[in-house]
Amino acid sequence: MTDRPIRVLLAEDQGMMRGALALLLGMEDDIEVVAQVAAGDAILDAALAHRPDVALLDIELPGRSGLDAAADLRARVPDCRVLILTTFGRPGYLRRAMEAGATGFLVKDGPVEELAAAIRRVLAGETVVDPALATAALSAGPNPLTSRESDTLKASADGATVADIAARLHLSESTVRNYLSSAIGKTGTRNRMEALREARSQGWL
């Protein structure tokens, strides 16, 4: 830790929320918001340009998710700590965030003082996780879907046919059916749209 302010990059697609967070964090004596972005695919460029100490990322962003961006930052800006701040406290999101290299995970309904303290703590080398979410993640268990099953479910989100999905993923139609059937079984649902909703609600996609 040094005497200079903690440099923070803020990624949030809702303009009012982003502005409010930047204003509130800027009122902390030891925190400076050096970059604000509204899309996930702008995070890495902003981090490379501004070299923040901590990146505060939403998950559901246009262009690229905050979880994917966290992995980018781990690879390209390894000195930057990643703190995920999301509306959706889903157990699967927590596991994926930690796998992507995030060192903190908080939900947005907490006080700003708690967020400022979390920024200081992750910079000091701690891992900061919302306690209720940590408990839920432990009880939920790991994501049962393979990467191919996840890809196939995601490709079906727009109502695509099996033939469409097969062409999109460069797979045979029988293989697509097998992946969808397996995903439906693992999620305990009746069809692929229910499987998709369940996987999303758990944070597996």
Side-chain angles (χ1 to χ4, degrees), residues 10 41 54 59 61 68 78 82-83 98 108 110 114 128 136 143 146 154 164 171 176 201:
L10 180 57
D41 47 12
V54 177
I59 290 180
L61 294 167
D68 291 333
V82 173
L83 180 58
M98 296 299 138
K108 288 180 182 176
E114 182 179 305
V128 182
N143 178 0
T146 66
K154 284 187 281 191
D164 292 335
L171 298 170
V176 168
S201 73

Side-chain angles (χ1 to χ4, degrees), residues 80-201:
C80 178
R81 308 282 184 180
V82 173
L83 180 58
I84 298 292
L85 182 66
T86 183
T87 305
F88 304 102
R90 295 170 180 165
Y93 277 167
L94 174 57
R95 287 180 176 272
R96 289 168 60 199
M98 296 299 138
E99 288 168 2
T103 52
F105 195 109
L106 295 175
V107 289
K108 288 180 182 176
D109 59 1
V112 70
E113 294 83 7
E114 182 179 305
L115 177 58
I119 289 171
R120 298 181 188 106
R121 289 172 63 191
V122 297
L123 188 60
E126 294 183 47
T127 297
V128 182
V129 177
D130 179 87
L133 187 58
T135 301
L138 286 172
S139 62
N143 178 0
L145 302 175
T146 66
S147 60
R148 274 305 197 181
E149 289 163 356
S150 297
D151 290 343
T152 307
L153 270 186
K154 284 187 281 191
S156 71
D158 58 359
T161 66
V162 169
D164 292 335
I165 298 169
R168 198 175 296 172
L169 299 181
H170 308 290
L171 298 170
S172 71
E173 292 184 28
S174 62
T175 299
V176 168
R177 288 192 186 92
N178 287 339
Y179 284 143
L180 289 173
S181 177
S182 180
I184 290 166
K186 288 179 178 179
T187 54
T189 53
R190 296 173 296 179
N191 56 57
R192 59 178 171 168
M193 296 314 294
E194 286 186 7
L196 179 66
R197 283 195 294 272
E198 177 64 15
R200 281 180 168 167
S201 73

